Amino acid sequence: MQSAKASKACPHNPAVSCNNCRLSGICLPLALESDEIVRLDNIVQRGRPLHKSHHLFREGDTFSSVYAVRSGAVKTYSITDAGEEQVTGFYFPGEVVGLDGIGQNRYASSAVALEVSAICEIPFAQIEDLSGQLPNLQRHFFKLLSSEIVDDQRHITLLSKNTADERVASLLVSISARQARRQLSASAFRLPMARADIASFLGLTVETVSRVLSRFAKQGLVKIDNKEISELDVERLKSVANL
């Protein structure tokens, strides 16, 4: 269990630095020496908290920065040819969003806050220069890019799964693993996204998502109270998801 000090080390506070952020072990500063972290910290921009439904960037905007989520949650989405919103990802504390803009110099999706969120903006030109000077930072940044590719491939695989149960179970297992990575509970957490967002991400209807979650609850795989998840049976859900 985290200490009270640790839990308060990285709130919606723009004064927090990379050195005292509790997420430094899973964000960009991983494996950096203390003097290197100071150099990274000098280019990181921390503004006011991003309010719910406010955008970090929109699809087609000129790419300039990547963004690390420090608290709260962000979703990314694209607009289909039919003019509908297609959710493409969910980002939680310690995760970096905006990497999809590097290739074409334009963001390939829009990013919007699901709740009040603290965000660290990292100008790409500066991190590119710094990465050339700090091999550890460069390696970790390459790992982030690789993870983004893997996540995209997993999403494609997820959408190819035959059943709605497999898709919903896979998402719950993924969120559980990401919670554990932040040294938080893997079996009890809050879903920051709406059912409609989950449905869009999984290629299902809202009604189907609700039915599957209700069925999981009846089967004892999870307890659900609105957006609050508890008593998540990760191993059984992995079995449902064929993971």
Side-chain angles (χ1 to χ4, degrees), residues 28-83:
L28 283 173
L30 181 70
L32 294 183
E33 300 295 334
S34 58
D35 60 324
E36 296 174 333
I37 292 178
V38 170
R39 294 175 67 183
L40 172 63
D41 196 58
N42 286 336
I43 69 173
V44 175
Q45 300 173 10
R46 303 174 183 86
R48 295 179 178 177
L50 187 70
H51 291 285
K52 181 178 179 179
S53 301
H54 286 204
H55 281 76
L56 270 174
F57 52 82
R58 293 182 184 273
E59 184 175 358
D61 285 352
T62 300
F63 172 73
S64 59
S65 301
V66 294
Y67 301 85
V69 181
R70 197 167 76 245
S71 63
V74 169
K75 77 172 179 181
T76 54
Y77 69 91
S78 296
I79 301 299
T80 67
D81 292 339

Side-chain angles (χ1 to χ4, degrees), residues 54-120:
H54 286 204
H55 281 76
L56 270 174
F57 52 82
R58 293 182 184 273
E59 184 175 358
D61 285 352
T62 300
F63 172 73
S64 59
S65 301
V66 294
Y67 301 85
V69 181
R70 197 167 76 245
S71 63
V74 169
K75 77 172 179 181
T76 54
Y77 69 91
S78 296
I79 301 299
T80 67
D81 292 339
E84 298 177 347
E85 181 181 300
Q86 172 65 58
V87 176
T88 56
F90 301 111
Y91 294 81
F92 301 99
E95 298 176 350
V96 177
V97 61
L99 296 169
D100 63 1
I102 295 175
Q104 301 297 321
N105 204 35
R106 291 191 180 279
Y107 293 107
S109 59
S110 300
V112 63
L114 290 168
E115 57 191 9
V116 176
S117 303
I119 305 292
C120 295

Side-chain angles (χ1 to χ4, degrees), residues 172-173 176 186-189 221-223 229-234 237:
L172 291 174
V173 169
S176 170
S187 60
F189 47 84
L221 296 173
V222 62
K223 282 192 175 182
I229 297 293
S230 61
E231 298 184 28
L232 190 77
D233 193 326
V234 178
L237 282 169

Side-chain angles (χ1 to χ4, degrees), residues 17-19 21 23-34 36-38 40-41 44 46 68 94 96 122 127 136-137 140 144:
S17 70
C18 293
N19 265 316
C21 179
L23 299 170
S24 62
I26 58 175
C27 193
L28 283 173
L30 181 70
L32 294 183
E33 300 295 334
S34 58
E36 296 174 333
I37 292 178
V38 170
L40 172 63
D41 196 58
V44 175
R46 303 174 183 86
V96 177
I122 311 166
I127 198 172
N136 285 338
L137 178 61
H140 188 57
L144 287 176

